[in-house]
Amino acid sequence: MFSLYHDRPFHTRYAVQQHNGRYTPELLRTHRTARASWLYIHRKHGTDLVGPTPDWSVRDDLVATGRCAPARANNPSLDGLGLWDQADTHAARIRPDEPACAHSVGSLPIGGSVTEWQNLVEGFCEDFLTSQGMVADWAIHQRVADGDRPAILPHCHLLITMRSYDPANADVGRIRQNWLRSEKARKALAEKWWAYSGIAPRSYALAA
């Protein structure tokens, strides 16, 4: 059986408001806006630019959340949904066919503690995302099997900005056109996760 956990332990998709031929359906199989993506990973109910979202608050697998960001993003107006509302507003006004955010999902080591998972996620974000000037909101989902309810293997969601928030970068505040846009870039980030988490696809491990 194909398993996202074992066979594709890290993948990246996009929230795009107006679909065109630039991104394949597979890359668009995420939520319609950055706000909806944030509500989903935080298991909340709400509305976005399109209308009411599904009620994700009924799910009981959320175990931890957080944000990794450059100092410039530590602005009250960007707290919580503020950052993602800004991304959606910019996308709707200027480039509705471009991603408002990237949404990555990574498998976490089975048997780890919440603290261990959190340290892994934050370390990865700091080394490979905020070091590039980006902001990443993360959430960890996991559930132990209980009666008729199946287990949900531990994994994290990363919402990643498409523009730099680090004033040390020359392109601060601008959409970075080469950021996570190509198959090569997505694979490079996935390979970093495989090495960081110790969870690589079975096909990759067999090839090695």
Side-chain angles (χ1 to χ4, degrees):
M1 179 182 294
F2 181 79
S3 165
L4 289 178
Y5 186 93
H6 295 291
D7 295 294
R8 194 169 55 169
F10 190 91
H11 62 278
T12 298
R13 296 171 175 164
Y14 306 105
V16 179
Q17 295 175 22
Q18 292 183 9
H19 297 176
N20 61 23
R22 185 176 294 112
Y23 298 100
T24 66
E26 169 65 17
L27 294 175
L28 295 171
R29 285 173 54 192
T30 187
H31 306 289
R32 60 201 181 194
T33 60
R35 170 181 265 259
S37 298
W38 189 94
L39 292 170
Y40 173 80
I41 73 169
H42 287 81
R43 298 307 196 220
K44 293 182 180 293
H45 183 48
T47 60
D48 64 1
L49 294 173
V50 183
T53 64
D55 186 3
W56 293 303
S57 68
V58 299
R59 303 194 182 185
D60 61 354
D61 57 348
L62 179 65
V63 297
T65 64
R67 171 175 288 182
C68 294
R72 182 174 181 269
N74 292 332
N75 182 316
S77 68
L78 299 178
D79 287 349
L81 275 166
L83 173 72
W84 308 107
D85 285 342
Q86 181 190 84
D88 282 334
T89 298
H90 182 275
R93 185 176 70 247
I94 300 174
R95 297 293 296 273
D97 60 343
E98 287 290 335
C101 70
H103 183 168
S104 297
V105 182
S107 300
L108 292 166
I110 296 174
S113 68
V114 174
T115 299
E116 289 169 340
W117 293 331
Q118 178 173 331
N119 289 341
L120 189 155
V121 171
E122 290 184 333
F124 180 83
C125 290
E126 290 166 3
D127 285 355
F128 302 112
L129 301 175
T130 60
S131 63
Q132 298 297 314
M134 302 302 177
V135 180
D137 275 2
W138 56 266
I140 295 172
H141 297 167
Q142 183 260 352
R143 187 179 70 200
V144 176
D146 180 17
D148 294 333
R149 299 191 315 160
I152 295 175
L153 296 180
H155 62 278
C156 69
H157 292 260
L158 308 175
L159 295 190
I160 308 166
T161 57
M162 304 301 288
R163 69 177 65 198
S164 170
Y165 281 81
D166 187 346
N169 290 333
D171 59 355
V172 61
R174 302 173 185 168
I175 295 293
R176 187 178 295 171
Q177 295 301 325
N178 62 350
W179 173 249
L180 289 182
R181 296 302 183 96
S182 67
E183 182 179 355
K184 180 179 179 180
R186 291 187 293 271
K187 184 179 179 182
L189 189 63
E191 289 176 340
K192 290 180 173 67
W193 180 263
W194 301 343
Y196 211 89
S197 67
I199 305 172
R202 290 168 175 158
S203 57
Y204 184 86
L206 290 173

